[in-house]
């Protein structure tokens, strides 16, 4: 129902304008006195153009939005960067007084940021899935969401427009269609493909295409390339949920662990393939390993079986060794397992009542079935069924009780369609799709007063990125979520629920930029060891690491320094760790005492997303650390200043280029904060390997046994922080970060607050952030304890 006449109605509902009021201008005499004694000499009338004038700097007011400037002042004082060493230093007590005075005055001058926002597109998809019981993809039907302070949860990045409303209508129609099974399913059956009984596979062996052979009735594949292992006789012949089984074994592993990556999707269309996982091959041709999983598949979908061999067999290096590969004996699918007709999702939407029927409609041509007819949803009591289903659906969609008066416009719209001759299903579609585009559905934190239902939604979208479940809504109906003890119990329950994976993947994807890990592909000449197995291992380490910190309530300082991590064999080889076998499962390992690894900064995933695939830049990585780890984002570069591009031909070092860059006074003030962290991280290359020298494709010393790249200039990691502390390498820099524990902990509290509330968090919210840190301190600032404190925060519970 893409009806343009509905758009004015929907836009009228969505056009909610919030104009936060800013308090009257304030001042603080104590702050001014400390400025006069320690700062005005450099930051007064004679200040250089690039410096902040503290003698004339006013506190925020209704007409002056400059809290970010005051934030820079506080940051400089806290880090000991100002006053400079050449000036008289304030005492520690004076510094505390200055910071507290600025925070208090700025906080009282700035109104609390609004929390009203719409669902982002991932939350929209998750909510539709849970509401209707479907799993149709919807994310790509909607425009990309904006990001505010690193997350797509902020009101400023989630605006409305007429174009967006039209896309919501289209997505709602797709979801409505997915809730209705049109054709009676076939009885479940087993479809099996014995690999060497399929002509295309036989032809591949006979023609020696793609390096495949036949052994004991199995197809042995050596590379992930063409041709694929064809399993046509196992393809599902209609849509549904299938139990899949794949029998594999390792061929000539030669001390290697041979694995496969399994995907489900169309035969031609890698962008639509669903990644199942990595599995280690074991067994023999007669007794292979059987991998079993369940997936929704469409008619004609296949299981893609992609070998993952590490170390990769290279002819010139392994010429005396037989080539390893994966033996694929057979593949089976059994289904469809979902046999209900009407489907469970249809009954969930329309109700499981006798008056709802499936009406035969037009014939449908199907290659494998004859005399098949499509069905629509019908009713023997259409008016009453429309009212009943919408009265059931609307409160579930709006995630709270809804009055008769609020529901009536949606019901009237559906009844009007019915009265004008539309079918029962068409009328129901009108009502349901408009509900799914209504602000009561699309908006989070819509009510001006925070009640228990608002708290339920906030907790659910914080930790699950979807609508509240029955238990949360039941507690809300009983008024119990206002009790912090009950909220803490629910946080523990929600973290133990499998849906917490949404939080782990989404938070790390945005906080650590893991969403961007595939945006660049490492240069094959510079990084020949990079392969898809390593990419998959990178993500696995960081997600398992974060999940462990969360479930065990470990201190968030583990994100900076830990003596453990999670690796599989591929990643352990990359890191130079011993005694880890298998690519399938990640193992928690204790790191050697002299290991440079530990914390997220040394994880290959982070080191890859902070590089461009070819080179690393201290500037990019330094900016990343300031924002993600220390919560001190660097300002954008001045206009007209060119970026520093590392020289991959090895003629000059990045340090030499940055030394020249910092000769510009405008650049120097920021680069003294940015560059040190970046120089420390130069110890790691673009795929997270530790290095002593840069790889070069031009000048440099030849490396024996390496035909891909040369040895370029040595890596130089020493530097000095803006507060004067020096370090020689990454290990000593990490000690500086450990010493900066209060900044690291506060930064994490700020990230969690932004993600949980959708509000912008900065200096004016410092008191709320510090309250979260204080509340979690008895548990060593554990991540789970910090989340408990977030759901008790004034920013989480306020309108």
């Amino acid at each position: 129902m893409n009806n343009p006449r509905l758009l004015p109605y929907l836009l009228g509902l969505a056009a909610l304008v919030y104009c936060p009021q800013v308090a009257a201008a304030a001042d603080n005499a104590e702050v001014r006195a400390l400025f006069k004694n320690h700062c005005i000499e450099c930051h007064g009338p004679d200040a250089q153009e690039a410096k902040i004038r503290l003698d004339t700097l006013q506190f925020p007011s209704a007409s002056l939005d400059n809290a970010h400037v005051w934030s820079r002042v506080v940051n400089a004082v806290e880090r000991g960067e100002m006053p400079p060493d050449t000036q008289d230093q304030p005492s520690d007590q004076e510094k505390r007084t200055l910071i507290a005075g600025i925070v208090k005055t700025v906080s009282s001058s700035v109104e609390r940021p609004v929390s009203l926002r719409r669902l982002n597109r991932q939350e929209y998809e998750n909510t539709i899935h849970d509401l209707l019981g479907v799993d149709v993809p919807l994310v790509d039907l909607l425009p990309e969401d904006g990001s505010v302070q690193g997350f797509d949860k902020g009101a400023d990045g989630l605006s409305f427009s007429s174009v967006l409303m039209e896309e919501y209508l289209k997505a709602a129609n797709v979801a409505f269609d997915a809730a209705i099974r049109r054709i009676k399913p076939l009885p479940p059956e087993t479809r099996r493909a014995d690999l060497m009984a399929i002509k295309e596979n036989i032809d591949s062996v006979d023609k020696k295409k793609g390096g495949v052979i036949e052994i004991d009735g199995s197809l042995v594949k050596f590379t992930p390339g063409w041709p694929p292992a064809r399993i046509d006789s196992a393809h599902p012949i209609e849509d549904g949920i299938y139990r899949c089984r794949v029998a594999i074994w390792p061929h000539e592993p030669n001390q290697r662990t041979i694995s496969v990556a399994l995907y489900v999707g169309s035969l031609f269309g890698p962008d639509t393939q669903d990644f199942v996982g990595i599995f280690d091959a074991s067994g023999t041709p007669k007794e292979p390993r059987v991998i079993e999983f369940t997936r929704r598949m469409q008619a004609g979908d296949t299981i893609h079986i992609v070998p993952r061999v590490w170390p990769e067999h290279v002819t010139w290096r392994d010429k005396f060794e037989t080539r390893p590969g994966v033996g694929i004996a057979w593949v089976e699918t059994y289904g469809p397992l979902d046999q209900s007709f009407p489907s469970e999702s249809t009954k969930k939407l329309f109700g499981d009542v006798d008056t709802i029927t499936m009406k035969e409609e037009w014939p449908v041509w199907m290659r494998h079935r004859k005399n098949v007819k499509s069905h629509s949803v019908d009713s023997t009591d259409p008016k009453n069924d429309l009212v009943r289903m919408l009265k059931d659906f609307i409160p579930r969609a709006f995630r709270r009780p809804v009055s008769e008066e609020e529901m009536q416009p949606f019901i009237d719209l559906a009844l009007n369609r019915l009265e004008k001759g539309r079918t029962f299903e068409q009328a129901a579609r009108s009502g349901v799709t408009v509900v799914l585009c209504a602000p009561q559905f699309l908006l989070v934190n819509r009510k001006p007063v925070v009640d228990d239902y608002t708290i339920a939604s906030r907790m659910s979208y914080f930790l699950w990125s979807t609508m509240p479940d029955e238990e949360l809504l039941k507690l809300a109906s009983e008024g119990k979520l206002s009790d912090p003890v009950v909220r803490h119990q629910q946080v523990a329950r929600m973290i133990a629920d499998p849906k917490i994976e949404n939080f782990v993947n989404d938070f790390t994807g945005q906080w650590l930029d893991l969403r961007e890990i595939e945006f660049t592909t490492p240069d094959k000449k510079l990084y020949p060891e990079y392969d898809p197995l390593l990419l998959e291992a990178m993500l696995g380490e960081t997600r398992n690491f974060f999940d462990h910190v969360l479930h065990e309530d470990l201190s968030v300082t583990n994100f900076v320094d830990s003596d453990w991590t999670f690796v599989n064999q591929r990643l352990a080889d990359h890191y130079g760790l011993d005694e880890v076998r298998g690519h399938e499962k990640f193992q928690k390992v204790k790191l050697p005492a002299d290991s440079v690894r530990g914390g997220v900064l040394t994880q290959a995933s982070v080191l890859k997303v902070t590089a461009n695939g070819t080179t690393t830049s201290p500037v990019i990585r330094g900016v990343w650390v300031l924002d993600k780890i220390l919560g001190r984002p660097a300002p954008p570069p001045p206009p007209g200043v060119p970026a520093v591009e590392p020289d991959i031909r090895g003629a000059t070092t990045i340090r030499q280029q940055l030394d020249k860059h910092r000769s510009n006074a405008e650049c120097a003030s920021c680069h003294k904060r940015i560059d040190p962290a970046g120089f420390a991280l130069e110890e790691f290359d673009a795929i997270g390997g530790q290095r002593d020298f840069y790889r070069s494709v031009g000048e440099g010393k030849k490396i024996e046994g390496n035909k891909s790249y040369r040895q370029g200039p040595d890596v130089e990691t020493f530097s000095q922080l803006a507060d004067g502390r020096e370090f020689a390498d990454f290990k000593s820099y990490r000690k500086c970060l450990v010493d900066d524990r209060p900044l690291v902990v506060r930064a994490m509290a700020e990230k969690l607050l932004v993600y949980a509330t959708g509000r912008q968090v900065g200096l004016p919210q410092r008191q709320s952030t510090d309250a979260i840190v204080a509340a979690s301190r008895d548990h060593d600032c554990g991540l789970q304890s910090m989340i408990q404190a977030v759901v008790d925060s004034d920013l989480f519970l306020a309108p």
Side-chain angles (χ1 to χ4, degrees):
M1 182 204 65
N2 296 323
N3 191 334
R5 289 178 294 179
L6 289 174
L7 286 175
Y9 165 72
L10 294 171
L11 288 170
L13 287 173
L16 303 177
V17 180
Y18 283 70
C19 301
Q21 298 298 312
V22 180
D27 211 339
N28 188 306
E30 201 167 25
V31 170
R32 297 298 178 190
L34 287 167
F35 278 174
K36 183 177 180 180
N37 292 337
H38 297 285
C39 309
I40 299 302
E41 181 179 345
C42 296
H43 292 271
D46 299 327
Q48 297 178 12
E49 186 177 346
K51 292 185 177 180
I52 299 171
R53 284 281 300 272
L54 296 181
D55 57 331
T56 58
L57 181 63
Q58 300 299 309
F59 281 99
S61 66
S63 59
L64 183 61
D65 179 16
N66 69 343
H68 62 285
V69 180
W70 285 99
S71 181
R72 289 175 60 189
V73 174
V74 169
N75 289 345
V77 175
E78 272 187 327
R79 290 298 302 268
E81 297 167 7
M82 291 291 168
D85 294 339
T86 55
Q87 302 294 319
D88 290 339
Q89 297 295 306
S91 66
D92 290 342
Q93 180 57 47
E94 285 179 314
K95 286 184 179 181
R96 287 192 291 269
T97 299
L98 177 62
I99 292 168
I102 293 174
V103 169
K104 181 179 179 181
T105 309
V106 171
S107 298
S108 65
S109 304
V110 177
E111 187 68 20
R112 180 185 293 117
V114 298
S115 62
L116 177 73
R117 69 173 182 89
R118 64 168 171 82
L119 301 176
N120 63 40
R121 59 184 189 161
Q122 186 61 64
E123 292 170 334
Y124 178 89
E125 179 183 276
N126 293 346
T127 303
I128 292 286
H129 287 182
D130 289 345
L131 179 64
L132 297 179
V134 299
D135 59 3
V136 60
L138 297 172
V139 165
D140 291 339
L141 299 179
L142 301 173
E144 286 192 16
D145 299 310
S147 178
V148 176
Q149 289 191 299
F151 297 101
D152 58 7
K153 297 268 194 174
D156 292 343
L158 298 171
S159 58
F160 277 104
S161 70
S162 59
V163 172
L164 180 61
M165 295 308 301
E166 289 186 8
E167 299 306 315
Y168 273 132
L169 277 171
K170 293 177 183 176
N173 275 282
V174 171
F176 183 86
D177 284 329
I180 302 172
R181 173 172 249 163
R182 300 291 181 185
I183 299 170
K184 289 182 180 179
L186 283 171
E189 66 171 341
T190 298
R191 295 178 60 79
R192 180 180 172 110
D194 291 293
L195 270 288
M196 292 317 300
I198 297 174
K199 181 179 184 300
E200 287 83 356
N201 294 331
I202 296 171
D203 290 345
S204 295
V205 173
D206 291 345
K207 296 176 183 178
K208 298 182 179 179
K209 291 173 58 180
V212 293
I213 62 174
E214 186 267 340
I215 294 180
D216 293 338
S218 293
L219 176 77
V220 177
K221 201 169 185 326
F222 298 100
T223 70
W226 191 263
R230 300 295 295 269
I231 59 165
D232 302 38
S233 52
H235 293 175
I237 57 176
E238 65 178 51
D239 300 355
I241 298 173
Y242 289 82
R243 182 168 62 246
C244 307
R245 304 174 77 216
V246 180
I248 61 171
W249 53 275
H251 170 68
E252 301 289 359
N254 304 319
Q255 305 303 313
R256 292 172 168 84
T257 299
I258 308 298
S259 304
V260 294
L262 297 184
Y263 300 83
V264 168
S266 60
L267 182 59
F268 303 103
D271 292 339
T272 62
Q273 292 169 10
D274 177 26
F275 177 62
V276 178
I278 298 289
F279 302 90
D280 296 335
S282 60
T284 66
K286 300 298 184 184
E287 295 184 359
R289 177 189 177 182
V290 178
I291 301 162
E292 185 172 310
F293 59 93
T294 301
R295 277 294 189 278
R296 177 169 291 279
M297 301 177 73
Q298 295 182 344
D301 275 357
T302 188
I303 301 170
H304 296 259
I305 307 165
V306 183
R308 295 283 191 248
V309 178
W310 178 261
E312 182 184 5
H313 184 280
V314 181
T315 303
W316 57 264
R317 187 183 65 206
D318 308 307
K319 57 187 176 182
F320 300 112
E321 177 183 89
T322 53
R323 192 172 188 183
V326 175
I328 309 167
W330 50 265
V331 177
E332 282 184 356
T333 58
Y334 175 77
L337 302 177
D338 46 334
Q339 287 287 302
S340 297
F341 190 78
S343 66
E344 294 301 321
S345 56
T346 302
K347 289 186 280 190
K348 188 172 186 176
L349 177 59
F350 291 90
D352 190 7
V353 295
D354 293 338
T355 52
I356 296 296
T357 62
M358 298 302 291
K359 179 182 177 183
E360 283 192 352
E361 296 284 0
W362 52 89
V364 177
W365 181 86
M366 300 184 75
R367 184 170 58 182
H368 60 282
R369 296 173 67 179
K370 295 181 179 180
N371 302 318
V372 177
K373 289 189 176 181
S374 180
H375 292 73
S376 64
V377 182
D378 204 2
S379 169
T380 58
D381 188 8
K383 287 186 178 181
N384 287 330
D385 273 336
L386 274 178
V387 174
R388 174 192 51 76
M389 66 167 287
L390 287 173
K391 283 188 174 181
D392 171 73
F393 178 69
I394 292 171
R396 290 193 294 114
F398 292 175
R399 308 177 285 278
R400 61 173 57 248
V402 182
S403 68
E404 295 280 342
E405 181 182 8
E406 189 176 357
M407 285 193 282
Q408 200 59 47
F410 303 99
I411 295 172
D412 288 345
L413 176 68
L415 291 174
N416 178 264
R417 295 291 187 269
L418 191 67
E419 290 168 1
K420 290 187 175 181
R422 300 292 178 88
T423 66
F424 172 76
E425 183 184 307
Q426 289 171 338
R429 178 189 292 270
S430 297
V432 169
T433 53
V434 171
V435 168
L436 297 180
C437 295
Q440 297 97 315
F441 174 75
L442 293 175
L443 294 177
V444 184
N445 309 325
R446 192 180 67 86
K447 292 286 186 179
V449 177
V450 175
D451 59 13
D452 280 60
Y453 288 100
T454 303
I455 295 172
S457 283
R458 289 183 179 183
M459 292 179 67
S460 188
Y461 284 104
F462 173 23
L463 293 177
W464 287 345
S465 293
T466 190
M467 62 188 291
D469 65 357
E470 289 186 10
E471 182 166 339
L472 281 172
L473 291 175
K474 182 176 183 294
L475 290 169
S477 71
E478 297 168 350
K480 292 183 177 179
L481 288 179
S482 298
D483 182 348
V485 174
V486 175
R487 286 199 302 275
H488 291 182
Q489 292 169 347
Q490 287 303 299
V491 166
R493 177 183 74 87
M494 295 173 74
I495 289 174
D497 189 280
K499 282 187 287 192
I500 197 63
E501 184 179 357
N502 291 339
F503 173 68
V504 172
N505 292 345
D506 192 47
F507 188 82
T508 57
Q510 297 189 75
W511 170 44
L512 301 176
D513 291 332
L514 297 191
R515 286 182 177 181
E516 301 177 12
I517 197 163
E518 293 188 69
F519 279 13
T520 61
T521 301
D523 185 280
K524 291 183 179 180
K525 289 186 176 180
L526 288 171
Y527 304 103
E529 70 268 42
Y530 178 81
D531 64 349
L533 189 59
L534 180 58
L535 173 65
E536 290 145 5
M538 290 176 176
L539 290 171
E541 176 190 24
T542 304
R543 288 171 178 166
N544 278 280
F545 188 96
F546 185 90
D547 185 80
H548 187 71
V549 172
L550 174 64
H551 281 88
E552 299 300 319
D553 196 24
L554 301 181
S555 173
V556 297
T557 57
N558 279 279
F559 294 129
V560 167
D561 187 21
S562 67
D563 61 358
W564 56 273
T565 191
F566 281 83
V567 294
N568 62 2
Q569 183 179 346
R570 177 67 185 91
L571 197 62
D573 289 347
H574 189 57
Y575 289 170
L577 302 176
D578 299 326
E579 299 180 1
V580 176
R581 298 292 297 175
H583 305 306
E584 181 174 339
K585 294 182 179 179
F586 281 81
Q587 306 170 37
K588 183 185 177 187
V589 297
K590 186 173 179 61
L591 295 167
D594 60 348
S595 176
V596 74
R597 305 290 171 178
V600 298
L601 286 177
T602 62
Q603 291 179 6
S605 61
V606 167
L607 295 162
K608 184 180 185 301
V609 298
T610 54
N612 67 7
T614 301
T615 59
T616 59
S617 166
V619 177
I620 293 173
R621 284 179 167 173
V623 167
W624 193 95
V625 171
L626 286 180
D627 178 19
K628 307 293 185 177
I629 304 301
L630 296 173
R632 302 283 175 83
V641 176
V644 178
E645 297 292 342
D647 178 11
I648 65 169
R649 299 199 64 81
T652 59
T653 67
I654 188 67
R655 183 180 290 270
Q656 291 168 337
Q657 292 173 280
L658 281 172
D659 284 344
K660 183 178 179 181
H661 188 71
R662 282 194 300 270
S663 62
N664 183 331
E666 263 191 303
C667 302
S669 60
C670 287
H671 277 275
K672 70 178 182 180
R673 296 174 51 234
I674 294 170
D675 295 351
F679 282 132
L681 288 170
E682 283 296 277
E683 193 164 333
F684 306 96
D685 62 28
I687 59 171
Q690 191 177 8
R691 64 186 176 187
D692 298 316
F693 59 86
Y694 294 98
R695 298 181 181 186
S696 169
V697 294
E699 299 181 17
K701 179 182 176 182
K702 289 184 178 181
I703 302 172
E704 185 177 353
N706 188 307
K707 298 183 178 181
S708 185
Y709 56 84
R710 297 188 175 200
Q711 179 177 334
D714 291 342
V715 171
E716 299 173 317
T717 57
F718 63 88
S719 191
Q720 182 183 60
L721 298 174
D723 61 9
R725 287 177 292 170
E726 296 181 346
F727 59 85
D729 52 21
F730 179 78
K731 284 185 182 178
S732 51
Y733 170 71
R734 183 165 55 196
K735 290 179 181 177
C736 295
L737 285 180
V738 172
D739 292 341
D740 287 336
R741 174 189 170 101
L743 300 180
V744 172
V745 172
R746 183 188 294 139
M748 179 54 64
E750 289 178 352
K751 302 296 182 188
L752 290 171
L753 267 177
V754 173
Y755 187 89
T757 67
R759 307 180 197 264
Q760 292 201 46
V761 177
L763 185 66
Q765 293 74 42
R766 171 68 71 86
Q767 292 170 326
S768 299
T769 305
D770 287 347
I772 290 171
V773 174
S776 62
R777 193 168 286 134
D778 287 345
H779 297 274
D780 197 23
C781 295
L783 180 56
Q784 190 169 151
S785 296
M786 201 168 274
I787 289 172
Q788 301 277 18
V790 166
V791 301
D792 289 342
S793 167
D794 60 332
L795 290 180
F796 189 83
L797 298 174

